[in-house]
Amino acid sequence: VASVHGLSSAARVTVRQRVERIAISGDTVVRLPEGEAVQLVASALDARGFRVRGRVPRWTSADSTVAAVDSAGAVTAHVPGHTVLTAALGDFAAHASVEVVLSPARLLLESGDAQRVPAGRPVPPPIVVRVLSQSGRPVPGVALTFPPDDPDASLSPAGGTTHPLGR
C-alpha cells in the first residue's frame, strides 16, 4: 500500500518460481547389494536454490534389468552391473550412478560332508563350499573360516577366499 497526499493505492505482486535445475539429495553414486532397495529424493530448484513446489521430477533407469526406479525414487537392485538413474523435469536433469554388487547370502556344501577320519590324518576328499548371492550367483573374493566344533581339533587350512566360481 502506498499513499501520497491522502491518495492511496495497493498492488499485489506475485512471484512465480521457475525451475532452474534438478538436484538429487545425498550421494549421486549408489552401491547396492542385489535385491536391496534405497530411496532417492530429487527436487526441482529455482535460481536461488529453493524448492519449486508442485514440480516433481520424473525418474528413469538407463538399464532397469540392473536397477529399477519407481516414480517416487525408490530404487531396487536386480542384477550385478552399473546403470544411471535420471531425475528429469522439462529441460533439466540430474543423474545418479548405481552399482549393483553381489553379496553373500548363503553357503552351499558341494563335497566333503560327514567325513570321519582318525586324528592327524588328512580328510580324503576336500571340503568344498560355494558362496552364493541372493539370486544364486557365485560370489568371488569372500573370506571364509572353518572353526572346528571341538576345541581340541584343528583344520588346515582353517579358511580361504572364494575364487570366481564362489568356491
Side-chain angles (χ1 to χ4, degrees):
V1 175
S3 62
V4 175
H5 303 292
L7 299 172
S8 65
S9 180
R12 174 181 259 193
V13 176
T14 303
V15 177
R16 297 190 195 273
Q17 288 178 294
R18 288 188 350 197
V19 175
E20 291 293 324
R21 68 184 178 98
I22 304 297
I24 297 174
S25 300
D27 288 336
T28 55
V29 177
V30 179
R31 188 170 193 212
L32 285 173
E34 65 177 335
E36 295 291 317
V38 68
Q39 180 68 47
L40 296 181
V41 176
S43 301
L45 304 176
D46 67 11
R48 294 178 50 201
F50 293 105
R51 184 185 298 208
V52 179
R53 298 195 188 279
R55 304 296 310 266
V56 180
R58 183 175 155 264
W59 285 99
T60 58
S61 173
D63 188 348
S64 60
T65 61
V66 173
V69 62
D70 69 11
S71 61
V75 181
T76 303
H78 293 298
V79 298
H82 291 84
T83 190
V84 175
L85 303 180
T86 301
L89 182 63
D91 294 335
F92 303 99
H95 308 281
S97 177
V98 175
E99 179 185 12
V100 177
V101 296
L102 291 171
S103 179
R106 62 188 170 107
L107 292 176
L108 175 66
L109 181 61
E110 290 192 338
S111 67
D113 187 24
Q115 298 184 60
R116 295 189 183 274
V117 294
R121 303 216 80 193
V123 176
I127 299 170
V128 177
V129 296
R130 184 178 286 202
V131 178
L132 300 174
S133 70
Q134 182 175 345
S135 65
R137 289 180 174 81
V139 182
V142 176
L144 296 172
T145 58
F146 302 101
D149 287 340
D150 184 342
D152 295 329
S154 67
L155 292 172
S156 179
T161 303
T162 60
H163 63 55
L165 295 178
R167 294 183 180 149

